[in-house]
Amino acid sequence: MSYMFEFHNPVKIIFGRASSEKIPSLIGLLKGEHSSVAIFTGKTATRRLVERMNLRENLEQKGFIPHLFSNIEPNPSSDTINKAASWLKDISADIIVSVGGGSVIDAAKAASLVATNGGSAWDYVKKPEDEGPIKQPSREIIPIIAVPTTSGTGSEVTPYSVVTNTELELKRPISTPYIYPKYAIVDPDLCNMPRKLTGMTGLDALGHAIESFFSLRATPLSELFAMKAIALILRWLPEAVSSPTPESRSNMALASNLAGLAISQTGTIVTHALSY
Ligand SMILES: [Fe+2]
């Protein structure tokens, strides 16, 4: 067989326990003016996590001005994302730190896209041709540091964001390389979830890896990521659910990240399409 494929993923991944402590110095390293820092979290657990991390205090010590947006619901709506986008403009955000599960990271990606390219989040989602054109971005987004707190979606390394339209009762993905985060900080210590969520998010990652492996767009490189993710999940998910240890959490965080890298190249297939 002679191969022909492309591989591109621009996200810099920083993986390991306590890697989240590097966030303030990372912001300092990014080019340009980064005084106004927008922090995205969910409504309760990840908002409290950010408090425990002393993230705001640590950013202030470095001379940044942190602002917090913690109104992101699970399966974020187009309305919430649009509100977050106008908030980003109000605070003249220079950089976004998104701490949470897939919903929080997806919302940050879409809000940054809307804040810089205009319109509404729903204008950018994939839709059938008869529903009109998909809005195409042309400007770079506000850079995002994605910090996952679940081991499932892999959103920290993908060009996707799932948006919910509450009026139409539809869920659709935005898919554009513009919304890749700049950094993915994968700190397994932050992925300390209740048992049920560990199981559900672990199976989500397994679904990504299997679907990517069987995708018509699979390449030898995406298959490598998918195969390793599947092996890690089969080995470590039962333990991560029944009696979690730093080792099982670390392996599941890695598996989720690898599955995210796999689908960043191939997308997902039937079963995920059904969930939209
Ligand atoms: Fe998924």
Side-chain angles (χ1 to χ4, degrees):
M1 185 196 255
S2 62
Y3 292 109
M4 197 156 76
F5 66 90
E6 293 179 17
F7 182 93
H8 176 73
N9 188 306
V11 185
K12 177 161 181 170
I13 300 164
I14 300 177
F15 187 97
R17 298 186 70 185
S19 55
S20 55
E21 288 169 13
K22 295 178 186 151
I23 296 170
S25 43
L26 269 180
I27 296 175
L29 286 175
L30 283 166
K31 279 192 202 125
E33 197 51 44
H34 295 298
S35 55
S36 175
V37 181
I39 304 170
F40 280 78
T41 70
K43 288 183 176 169
T44 37
T46 47
R47 184 172 54 77
R48 287 196 200 115
L49 173 68
V50 161
E51 280 165 21
R52 283 202 303 279
M53 288 161 72
N54 290 325
L55 184 57
R56 296 169 84 166
E57 294 77 1
N58 293 341
L59 288 170
E60 277 164 0
Q61 272 175 12
K62 291 255 179 193
F64 304 118
I65 306 161
H67 305 268
L68 183 67
F69 191 93
S70 57
N71 270 331
I72 301 165
E73 68 274 19
N75 304 312
S77 69
S78 184
D79 287 348
T80 299
I81 293 166
N82 295 338
K83 273 183 205 143
S86 34
W87 174 78
L88 285 172
K89 288 201 268 187
D90 289 345
I91 62 161
S92 304
D94 300 305
I95 189 152
I96 298 167
V97 181
S98 182
V99 183
S103 295
V104 175
I105 296 176
D106 278 9
K109 288 151 106 175
S112 184
L113 182 70
V114 173
T116 47
N117 285 270
S120 153
W122 198 248
D123 299 339
Y124 295 90
V125 300
K126 278 189 180 175
K127 47 179 153 315
E129 261 173 38
D130 59 348
E131 288 184 29
I134 302 169
K135 188 170 165 62
Q136 298 300 328
S138 58
R139 293 205 186 115
E140 291 295 317
I141 65 164
I142 303 161
I144 298 171
I145 298 179
V147 188
T149 59
T150 61
S151 296
T153 66
S155 179
E156 71 278 8
V157 287
T158 71
Y160 316 123
S161 168
V162 181
V163 181
T164 296
N165 187 320
T166 39
E167 268 172 46
L168 302 175
E169 294 184 355
L170 283 173
K171 226 171 145 184
R172 285 183 177 160
I174 298 174
S175 172
T176 165
Y178 278 87
I179 60 172
Y180 271 117
K182 199 100 182 153
Y183 285 97
I185 313 276
V186 186
D187 182 343
D189 290 344
L190 302 186
C191 304
N192 193 353
M193 298 164 278
R195 184 179 289 213
K196 195 172 162 199
L197 191 59
T198 303
M200 280 167 48
T201 53
L203 290 176
D204 187 28
L206 183 61
H208 295 163
I210 292 173
E211 290 180 36
S212 176
F213 190 80
F214 288 109
S215 164
L216 291 174
R217 292 159 64 195
T219 72
L221 282 179
S222 71
E223 284 171 8
L224 274 182
F225 291 115
M227 280 191 298
K228 182 69 179 174
I230 292 167
L232 285 171
I233 294 165
L234 296 180
R235 164 69 183 83
W236 291 101
L237 182 58
E239 189 175 315
V241 172
S242 61
S243 48
T245 58
E247 192 181 14
S248 62
R249 268 199 286 272
S250 179
N251 278 286
M252 283 307 299
L254 176 60
S256 166
N257 189 255
L258 294 175
L261 286 166
I263 58 166
S264 76
Q265 307 302 303
T266 61
T268 51
I269 49 174
V270 197
T271 44
H272 269 78
L274 286 178
S275 77
Y276 296 140

